[in-house]
Amino acid sequence: MSGFLPITADELKRLGWDYVDVIMVSGDAYVDHPSFGHAVIGRCLEAAGFRVAILPQPNWRDDLRDFRKLGRPRLYFGVTSGCMDSMVNHYTAARRMRTNDAYTPGGQAGFRPDYATYVYTRILKQIFPDTPVVIGGIEASMRRFSHYDYWSDTLKPSILSEIPADLLVYGMGEKIMVQIAEGLRDGKSIEDMRKLPQIGYISTTLPDYDGDTIKLHPHEACLKDKFKQAQNFHHIELESNKIEASRIIQAVGGKCVVVNPPDEPFSQADIDHSFDLPYMRQPHPKYARRGAIPAFEMIKFSVNTHRGCFGGCSFCTISAHQGKQVVSRSEKSVLEEIKLLTQKPDFKGVITDLGGPSANMYRMGGKNKELCRKCSRYSCIHPTHCKNLDSDHTPLIELCDKAAAVKGVRHLFIGSGIRYDLFTEQNAGYRYWENVVRKHVSGRLKVAPEHTSEKVLQCMRKPSFKLFGDIKRRFDDICRRNGLNQQLVPYFISSHPSCTLRDMAQLAVTMKGLGYRLEQIQDFTPTPMTLSTEMYYTGYNPATMEKVFVARHPNEKREQNRMFFWYKPENRNAIRQSLAKSHNEEFIRKLFQN
């Protein structure tokens, strides 16, 4: 089928379809682009021969007619909150309601419910009780076990114990979603699908299993003892980092949540197939009068080169969702996508980004793949570089040069975060850095040191701040030698576990000394199933089981965040009072003397 996947009954009628195999329900507007999960799943199912429809942002407040308009799918409903957890989408770190939604036309808020996966699934099972519902996406994936929910300030049980979903697919699930459709089409039951990898489900009995099984503390035990929750997370993270992982089970409410090990990592052919499908690379025309979709506008002329991340940052969900193993597209696939973009009528010659979860992990991974299969390290580069890691930047340098040379491309910029802790003299990292600074910066280049305190950085699993100093000197030298007027913009986080007001005051003094008035900052927001969130909730570091300081009170978080803006006159009195009250008076002089 050419064109968009259908989203209305009229479109189904025009196609002459008297049935649909799978209906994908999403909290995002329908953008037919490989950066939007519902489009990826839909196109992969279509390529496998299935009829797929999209039900984007259905109205859950009225008589629920939106949920009925496409009818009952022959095989199953797929449900996702969208590209973000719906609560992260809706609320700030201060738990204030956001006034916009980047995944909705016109940036309008209010087109998806809180806990969207929960709400959609309950409605579908109410209307179509006998039709299987398969949940997936970031919200389902990161809530598959007991998890701390910042917005309700509670330890919530597995999402599977709170909604009547038949299956949960975690991680990047396009291959598994196709296998589920194929199994149901061939007459197998939804219970038969429980044998697939990368699947979670809830059961009253524990099925037989040939491999190893890890039994977590029950949810009810974790409610009473935060130490047990921290122990649970240690096991979850350890298995998430393995290629050959164990099955994990957790008791809750007299039942058992069962999560099978992940599927084999994608091959290059797999990821090329997913990206090379006939996406329209546009929002559905239905939205034309409602305004642009901000999230699409941001990425419409960017190109993703790979998935996965082996950085292992404590606060990040990328490796937990996409996997630690980096899977890279072929040069041919990337360059063909760029050629498609140059043919768009509104393309002005600028590729805004060539990257992925990080800009510079393209084609990187283990030299000996067999060693990787048993590895359980949370990071290939922290606290030290793995000796088995091939971190050669040469393939990426060559790809950038070829991409910039595509006819119609005037500028190629790098917008994804660059992991400068990957650079060594031997892996062409500094050559890549010079290449980027000279050719691929649109005036400002963002990097993420995240903090200046070594103690906090260790807790974040980030490199020493000294590396930022080194990379900034190299950046300034390259600009000076080439007559460039460019800025290196650092990104920082306040209130991360182990961060005190004194740490933030030292950060402010350090950045003042470097001549920075910070803009790219955020207050730490606990999101489900990250190491940092578990530290925030339990007060323990699950990796070491040692206690860790946490700034939980809103006043503490405000005081820390305010330190970023020491230079604003309206903040000076409050900062002086905070520093005096906490016996950190020496920083008053360092910050405010002329």
Side-chain angles (χ1 to χ4, degrees):
M1 186 188 87
S2 61
F4 290 86
L5 298 172
I7 67 172
T8 67
D10 285 343
E11 288 173 286
L12 294 180
K13 187 176 180 180
R14 284 198 296 271
L15 289 167
W17 288 5
D18 56 355
Y19 70 89
V20 175
D21 289 310
V22 177
I23 296 176
M24 294 297 302
V25 184
S26 175
D28 293 340
Y30 172 34
V31 180
D32 197 47
H33 187 280
S35 292
F36 289 74
H38 54 263
V40 174
I41 301 296
R43 289 298 184 184
C44 286
L45 285 163
E46 178 192 47
F50 296 99
R51 293 182 178 182
V52 186
I54 308 287
L55 182 56
Q57 299 188 320
N59 190 340
W60 74 101
R61 295 188 177 102
D62 60 6
D63 61 2
L64 309 181
R65 68 186 68 180
D66 275 358
F67 292 87
R68 296 180 175 92
K69 69 182 181 182
L70 300 178
R72 182 196 306 269
R74 188 168 67 101
L75 301 177
Y76 67 84
F77 285 103
V79 175
T80 173
S81 69
C83 292
M84 296 174 68
D85 185 286
S86 57
M87 302 306 286
V88 179
N89 179 280
H90 281 175
Y91 298 96
T92 68
R95 296 191 178 96
R96 295 193 183 96
M97 178 75 80
R98 299 185 192 274
T99 56
N100 53 25
D101 184 337
Y103 294 88
T104 300
Q108 287 184 282
F111 280 81
R112 84 183 81 211
D114 286 357
Y115 304 105
T117 306
Y118 295 70
V119 173
Y120 294 156
T121 301
R122 288 171 183 147
I123 290 171
L124 290 169
K125 278 297 190 179
Q126 172 190 330
I127 300 172
F128 306 104
D130 299 324
T131 303
V133 174
V134 181
I135 60 174
I138 194 78
E139 185 166 272
S141 183
M142 306 308 286
R143 293 175 181 266
R144 61 188 185 269
F145 296 110
S146 295
H147 58 279
Y148 174 66
D149 181 72
Y150 176 65
W151 300 274
S152 63
D153 193 24
T154 60
L155 185 71
K156 288 175 71 70
S158 166
I159 187 173
L160 286 163
S161 70
E162 295 201 303
I163 60 174
D166 295 276
L167 295 174
L168 179 153
V169 176
Y170 66 93
M172 307 304 284
E174 56 257 58
K175 285 172 67 176
I176 303 301
M177 294 291 276
V178 170
Q179 289 177 38
I180 293 170
E182 290 172 338
L184 295 177
R185 177 200 60 195
D186 295 342
K188 295 181 180 178
S189 68
I190 199 72
E191 287 74 23
D192 292 329
M193 300 301 101
R194 293 178 172 184
K195 299 173 184 176
L196 291 172
Q198 218 161 307
I199 288 288
Y201 57 93
I202 193 161
S203 176
T204 54
T205 60
L206 185 60
D208 293 335
Y209 182 68
D210 292 336
D212 295 332
T213 293
I214 291 175
K215 188 176 182 180
L216 302 179
H217 295 297
H219 175 70
E220 290 77 10
C222 295
L223 287 172
K224 297 175 182 177
D225 187 345
K226 291 182 177 181
F227 190 82
K228 289 182 177 178
Q229 172 64 16
Q231 287 179 316
N232 275 3
F233 184 81
H234 175 68
H235 290 300
I236 293 166
E237 184 183 40
L238 205 64
E239 295 307 307
S240 296
N241 291 328
K242 295 178 182 178
I243 295 176
E244 296 180 3
S246 302
R247 180 179 70 168
I248 304 178
I249 62 172
Q250 184 182 28
V252 54
K255 296 183 179 180
C256 186
V257 171
V258 183
V259 176
N260 294 341
D263 195 11
E264 285 287 313
F266 270 35
S267 65
Q268 186 179 87
D270 291 331
I271 195 169
D272 280 358
H273 170 72
S274 185
F275 275 89
D276 294 348
L277 293 168
Y279 302 97
M280 299 300 291
R281 289 182 166 79
Q282 293 288 337
H284 192 280
K286 173 185 176 182
Y287 306 124
R289 295 182 181 180
R290 290 177 53 190
I293 297 173
F296 170 70
E297 294 298 313
M298 187 174 69
I299 57 90
K300 67 190 293 186
F301 296 123
S302 69
V303 178
N304 200 306
T305 59
H306 63 279
R307 283 183 187 167
C309 179
F310 50 72
C313 299
S314 300
F315 48 80
C316 185
T317 61
I318 291 172
S319 61
H321 186 64
Q322 293 194 7
K324 188 178 76 171
Q325 304 299 319
V326 170
V327 185
S328 301
R329 298 168 66 185
S330 66
E331 269 193 3
K332 181 178 183 293
S333 175
V334 172
L335 297 176
E336 286 299 320
E337 182 174 356
I338 293 174
K339 291 174 185 176
L340 285 174
L341 293 180
T342 64
Q343 296 166 19
K344 295 287 184 183
D346 54 343
F347 182 70
K348 307 299 182 184
V350 179
I351 299 295
T352 56
D353 186 27
L354 186 70
S358 60
N360 59 317
M361 286 188 184
Y362 180 71
R363 297 268 297 271
M364 294 184 185
K367 300 170 189 173
N368 183 337
K369 302 300 182 186
E370 288 305 308
L371 291 179
C372 294
R373 295 194 69 82
K374 298 293 184 182
C375 178
S376 60
R377 277 184 59 158
Y378 58 80
S379 171
C380 301
I381 53 177
H382 188 273
T384 59
H385 283 212
C386 175
K387 293 179 180 179
N388 189 43
L389 177 66
D390 178 1
S391 58
D392 184 11
H393 285 71
T394 304
L396 181 54
I397 295 170
E398 294 173 352
L399 178 63
C400 288
D401 289 344
K402 291 177 182 178
V406 170
K407 185 179 179 181
V409 174
R410 293 188 296 110
H411 299 292
L412 170 70
F413 297 133
I414 303 299
S416 300
I418 294 175
R419 292 296 302 239
Y420 54 81
D421 51 338
L422 269 169
F423 298 165
T424 69
E425 294 293 349
Q426 294 76 34
N427 69 5
Y430 294 118
R431 183 156 66 91
Y432 168 76
W433 183 243
E434 174 139 0
N435 200 46
V436 168
V437 176
R438 286 179 52 240
K439 301 178 183 178
H440 305 302
V441 178
S442 61
R444 309 179 89 204
L445 181 62
K446 297 176 185 178
V447 294
E450 308 294 7
H451 215 285
T452 58
S453 163
E454 295 299 314
K455 167 179 64 77
V456 178
L457 288 167
Q458 280 297 316
C459 209
M460 290 177 165
R461 293 175 174 170
K462 293 288 289 186
S464 169
F465 185 72
K466 294 174 184 177
L467 283 186
F468 174 77
D470 174 63
I471 212 66
K472 185 180 185 304
R473 284 189 293 273
R474 290 175 184 267
F475 180 90
D476 293 341
D477 179 60
I478 295 166
C479 290
R480 186 170 52 252
R481 285 189 282 107
N482 291 276
L484 300 171
N485 182 23
Q486 298 180 156
Q487 291 179 288
L488 186 65
V489 181
Y491 196 102
F492 290 95
I493 297 176
S494 60
S495 305
H496 188 276
S498 87
C499 180
T500 64
L501 184 65
R502 183 177 183 85
D503 294 321
M504 288 302 300
Q506 184 59 62
L507 184 154
V509 168
T510 300
M511 299 318 291
K512 178 188 177 185
L514 291 173
Y516 277 102
R517 294 192 170 191
L518 297 177
E519 305 167 16
Q520 299 296 318
I521 58 91
Q522 74 173 70
D523 192 39
F524 170 66
T525 304
T527 57
M529 229 174 91
T530 68
L531 179 69
S532 299
T533 298
E534 297 300 323
M535 285 191 268
Y536 177 91
Y537 170 68
T538 66
Y540 297 98
N541 183 338
T544 63
M545 298 314 298
E546 296 173 349
K547 288 188 175 182
V548 61
F549 169 79
V550 178
R552 287 193 185 87
H553 195 278
N555 286 341
E556 289 181 293
K557 291 171 75 67
R558 272 193 296 272
E559 284 183 326
Q560 288 205 19
N561 193 258
R562 193 183 289 129
M563 295 303 305
F564 287 131
F565 306 108
W566 61 270
Y567 54 86
K568 293 187 176 182
E570 62 268 29
N571 287 335
R572 289 180 182 175
N573 284 338
I575 289 174
R576 285 191 180 101
Q577 291 172 11
S578 296
L579 292 174
K581 181 181 66 177
S582 60
H583 308 293
N584 288 302
E585 292 90 344
E586 71 267 30
F587 292 105
I588 298 175
R589 176 181 55 81
K590 293 177 181 178
L591 284 174
F592 299 124
Q593 70 178 5
N594 291 329

